[in-house]
PDB file of all heavy atoms in Angstrom:
ATOM      1  N   ASN A  20      78.993  38.959  -1.616  1.00 95.00           N
ATOM      2  CA  ASN A  20      79.325  39.793  -0.467  1.00 95.00           C
ATOM      3  C   ASN A  20      78.175  40.739  -0.151  1.00 95.00           C
ATOM      4  O   ASN A  20      77.315  40.995  -0.988  1.00 95.00           O
ATOM      5  CB  ASN A  20      80.600  40.592  -0.747  1.00 95.00           C
ATOM      6  CG  ASN A  20      81.811  39.679  -0.820  1.00 95.00           C
ATOM      7  OD1 ASN A  20      81.945  38.732  -0.045  1.00 95.00           O
ATOM      8  ND2 ASN A  20      82.697  39.948  -1.759  1.00 95.00           N
ATOM      9  N   CYS A  21      78.209  41.264   1.060  1.00 90.00           N
ATOM     10  CA  CYS A  21      77.214  42.210   1.546  1.00 90.00           C
ATOM     11  C   CYS A  21      77.012  43.309   0.507  1.00 90.00           C
ATOM     12  O   CYS A  21      77.993  43.792  -0.048  1.00 90.00           O
ATOM     13  CB  CYS A  21      77.697  42.795   2.869  1.00 90.00           C
ATOM     14  SG  CYS A  21      76.608  44.023   3.567  1.00 90.00           S
ATOM     15  N   PRO A  22      75.787  43.688   0.214  1.00 94.00           N
ATOM     16  CA  PRO A  22      74.534  43.274   0.857  1.00 94.00           C
ATOM     17  C   PRO A  22      73.785  42.178   0.097  1.00 94.00           C
ATOM     18  O   PRO A  22      72.631  41.910   0.401  1.00 94.00           O
ATOM     19  CB  PRO A  22      73.725  44.561   0.849  1.00 94.00           C
ATOM     20  CG  PRO A  22      74.080  45.184  -0.484  1.00 94.00           C
ATOM     21  CD  PRO A  22      75.570  44.847  -0.672  1.00 94.00           C
ATOM     22  N   LEU A  23      74.415  41.559  -0.889  1.00 97.00           N
ATOM     23  CA  LEU A  23      73.691  40.616  -1.743  1.00 97.00           C
ATOM     24  C   LEU A  23      73.060  39.431  -0.996  1.00 97.00           C
ATOM     25  O   LEU A  23      71.913  39.081  -1.296  1.00 97.00           O
ATOM     26  CB  LEU A  23      74.581  40.124  -2.887  1.00 97.00           C
ATOM     27  CG  LEU A  23      74.869  41.182  -3.958  1.00 97.00           C
ATOM     28  CD1 LEU A  23      75.900  40.672  -4.954  1.00 97.00           C
ATOM     29  CD2 LEU A  23      73.609  41.598  -4.671  1.00 97.00           C
ATOM     30  N   PRO A  24      73.750  38.788  -0.034  1.00 97.00           N
ATOM     31  CA  PRO A  24      73.071  37.673   0.657  1.00 97.00           C
ATOM     32  C   PRO A  24      71.759  38.102   1.334  1.00 97.00           C
ATOM     33  O   PRO A  24      70.759  37.393   1.261  1.00 97.00           O
ATOM     34  CB  PRO A  24      74.105  37.204   1.683  1.00 97.00           C
ATOM     35  CG  PRO A  24      75.420  37.539   1.039  1.00 97.00           C
ATOM     36  CD  PRO A  24      75.161  38.864   0.355  1.00 97.00           C
ATOM     37  N   ILE A  25      71.769  39.292   1.951  1.00 97.00           N
ATOM     38  CA  ILE A  25      70.553  39.783   2.617  1.00 97.00           C
ATOM     39  C   ILE A  25      69.484  40.138   1.588  1.00 97.00           C
ATOM     40  O   ILE A  25      68.310  39.792   1.770  1.00 97.00           O
ATOM     41  CB  ILE A  25      70.874  41.011   3.503  1.00 97.00           C
ATOM     42  CG1 ILE A  25      71.712  40.573   4.705  1.00 97.00           C
ATOM     43  CG2 ILE A  25      69.605  41.721   3.949  1.00 97.00           C
ATOM     44  CD1 ILE A  25      71.030  39.664   5.697  1.00 97.00           C
ATOM     45  N   LEU A  26      69.867  40.779   0.506  1.00 97.00           N
ATOM     46  CA  LEU A  26      68.884  41.146  -0.529  1.00 97.00           C
ATOM     47  C   LEU A  26      68.240  39.905  -1.134  1.00 97.00           C
ATOM     48  O   LEU A  26      67.017  39.855  -1.339  1.00 97.00           O
ATOM     49  CB  LEU A  26      69.541  41.994  -1.623  1.00 97.00           C
ATOM     50  CG  LEU A  26      70.013  43.381  -1.186  1.00 97.00           C
ATOM     51  CD1 LEU A  26      70.761  44.072  -2.315  1.00 97.00           C
ATOM     52  CD2 LEU A  26      68.836  44.223  -0.724  1.00 97.00           C
ATOM     53  N   ARG A  27      69.039  38.888  -1.409  1.00 98.00           N
ATOM     54  CA  ARG A  27      68.498  37.641  -1.975  1.00 98.00           C
ATOM     55  C   ARG A  27      67.619  36.926  -0.946  1.00 98.00           C
ATOM     56  O   ARG A  27      66.615  36.312  -1.299  1.00 98.00           O
ATOM     57  CB  ARG A  27      69.630  36.735  -2.438  1.00 98.00           C
ATOM     58  CG  ARG A  27      70.488  37.404  -3.506  1.00 98.00           C
ATOM     59  CD  ARG A  27      70.462  36.667  -4.811  1.00 98.00           C
ATOM     60  NE  ARG A  27      71.166  37.421  -5.836  1.00 98.00           N
ATOM     61  CZ  ARG A  27      72.155  36.938  -6.558  1.00 98.00           C
ATOM     62  NH1 ARG A  27      72.571  35.696  -6.374  1.00 98.00           N
ATOM     63  NH2 ARG A  27      72.728  37.671  -7.491  1.00 98.00           N
ATOM     64  N   THR A  28      68.020  36.992   0.322  1.00 98.00           N
ATOM     65  CA  THR A  28      67.222  36.380   1.388  1.00 98.00           C
ATOM     66  C   THR A  28      65.858  37.058   1.485  1.00 98.00           C
ATOM     67  O   THR A  28      64.826  36.394   1.581  1.00 98.00           O
ATOM     68  CB  THR A  28      67.962  36.478   2.737  1.00 98.00           C
ATOM     69  OG1 THR A  28      69.170  35.716   2.646  1.00 98.00           O
ATOM     70  CG2 THR A  28      67.112  35.947   3.881  1.00 98.00           C
ATOM     71  N   LYS A  29      65.867  38.373   1.453  1.00 98.00           N
ATOM     72  CA  LYS A  29      64.615  39.138   1.529  1.00 98.00           C
ATOM     73  C   LYS A  29      63.676  38.748   0.393  1.00 98.00           C
ATOM     74  O   LYS A  29      62.483  38.513   0.602  1.00 98.00           O
ATOM     75  CB  LYS A  29      64.949  40.628   1.471  1.00 98.00           C
ATOM     76  CG  LYS A  29      63.793  41.537   1.758  1.00 98.00           C
ATOM     77  CD  LYS A  29      64.263  42.989   1.802  1.00 98.00           C
ATOM     78  CE  LYS A  29      63.117  43.920   2.094  1.00 98.00           C
ATOM     79  NZ  LYS A  29      63.528  45.309   2.123  1.00 98.00           N
ATOM     80  N   LYS A  30      64.213  38.645  -0.805  1.00 98.00           N
ATOM     81  CA  LYS A  30      63.419  38.257  -1.970  1.00 98.00           C
ATOM     82  C   LYS A  30      62.876  36.833  -1.823  1.00 98.00           C
ATOM     83  O   LYS A  30      61.711  36.572  -2.097  1.00 98.00           O
ATOM     84  CB  LYS A  30      64.274  38.375  -3.233  1.00 98.00           C
ATOM     85  CG  LYS A  30      63.515  38.115  -4.521  1.00 98.00           C
ATOM     86  CD  LYS A  30      64.408  38.340  -5.728  1.00 98.00           C
ATOM     87  CE  LYS A  30      63.699  38.240  -7.039  1.00 98.00           C
ATOM     88  NZ  LYS A  30      62.935  37.028  -7.237  1.00 98.00           N
TER      89      LYS A  30
END
Side-chain angles (χ1 to χ4, degrees):
N20 292 320
C21 178
L23 289 173
I25 291 294
L26 293 175
R27 300 242 173 125
T28 296
K29 189 175 180 181
K30 185 176 186 307

